[in-house]
Amino acid sequence: HHPELYEATFKFLEINSFLTCFATGVMAIDETGHYGKSRVEQLQQAMDRGLLAAGIPAEKVPAIVQSDEVVGYLTEDAAQRLGLKSAIPVYGGICDIPAVALGTGIVLPGQSHFYFGSSGWLATVLPGTLIPHNYRCVPFIDGTIIRLDGLEAVGLARSWALGLLFTPDQTAHEGFEQWLEKSIASLDSSNSSLLAIPLIHKENPPLPADVCG
């Protein structure tokens, strides 16, 4: 609710673009960035609709560059602040999930990787023409996308439930895990008093078909 700030804004930058601008003075989005600009036509159409709905002019979104493209060079001011030499080339860079894919060596359409950390997913590289109906994907390199299927909280929902319902002594007891699995398997999923807790931790489909919630 600060229209004066909005009117004074030249370009909207997310964190990667902001750091690039800080380093070089150049405002740009790398090709794996997922806001405002995309080299994947269907994603760009979706972003255009979002900008239109938000009333944000397209010119307030910076230009898009390739991840391996030199955007600019480290300025004297940035170099002094960072304790580095000036004129170091700064590249377009890459966002987190695409960086994970590169780190696993999964770069070609049809290849997949699993990731388990603070969040978790099955990621599959696909041609940019195969956008999931729910748009659950991120732009990748060379006009491809990474489709994401998974649970964002991984084991947090389970840990939360165990901490709420049992004491540490109970969960540490030998045989607890077997008892828990057996108890869950014996539950009647048609019981309307049973509630699924994964969504509390922002879990996303796919979830088991018999989940109640």
Side-chain angles (χ1 to χ4, degrees):
H1 302 291
H2 296 281
E4 69 283 359
L5 294 179
Y6 172 80
E7 292 299 330
T9 299
F10 177 60
K11 300 284 186 185
F12 288 101
L13 306 179
E14 53 88 57
I15 187 62
N16 288 10
S17 298
F18 174 81
L19 292 174
T20 300
C21 182
F22 164 78
T24 65
V26 178
M27 300 181 185
I29 303 173
D30 78 85
E31 62 186 318
T32 67
H34 207 181
Y35 79 101
K37 293 282 178 68
S38 177
R39 287 188 168 150
V40 178
E41 183 178 357
Q42 195 172 342
L43 291 181
Q44 184 61 63
Q45 292 172 355
M47 292 176 185
D48 289 341
R49 292 193 295 271
L51 291 173
L52 181 63
I56 299 176
E59 56 266 25
K60 284 186 178 286
V61 180
I64 193 168
V65 297
Q66 290 183 196
S67 295
D68 59 354
E69 180 178 341
V70 175
V71 176
Y73 297 86
L74 196 64
T75 64
E76 291 282 354
D77 179 60
Q80 186 175 1
R81 294 190 184 199
L82 296 172
L84 299 171
K85 293 182 178 181
S86 62
I88 296 174
V90 178
Y91 289 81
I94 192 167
C95 288
D96 51 355
I97 294 175
V100 171
L102 283 180
T104 63
I106 302 305
V107 296
L108 299 177
Q111 294 182 325
S112 301
H113 75 263
F114 280 105
Y115 173 85
F116 298 104
S118 56
S119 56
W121 59 72
L122 164 64
T124 304
V125 180
L126 296 173
T129 53
L130 299 178
I131 304 296
H133 68 88
N134 60 359
Y135 286 89
R136 190 161 169 73
C137 62
V138 295
F140 197 33
I141 55 176
D142 298 328
T144 59
I145 63 165
I146 297 176
R147 172 174 174 155
L148 297 169
D149 296 284
L151 302 177
E152 293 196 0
V154 191
L156 290 180
R158 183 179 186 278
S159 298
W160 177 84
L162 294 183
L164 181 69
L165 299 174
F166 304 98
T167 67
D169 287 342
Q170 288 174 315
T171 56
H173 190 276
E174 184 178 358
F176 175 80
E177 290 292 336
Q178 291 85 344
W179 170 83
L180 181 64
E181 293 297 326
K182 185 177 180 180
S183 299
I184 292 174
S186 67
L187 293 174
D188 180 5
S189 61
S190 64
N191 187 339
S192 61
S193 66
L194 294 175
L195 298 176
I197 64 169
L199 292 178
I200 294 175
H201 286 281
K202 300 182 180 179
E203 299 284 29
N204 288 292
L207 294 173
D210 58 352
V211 161
C212 301

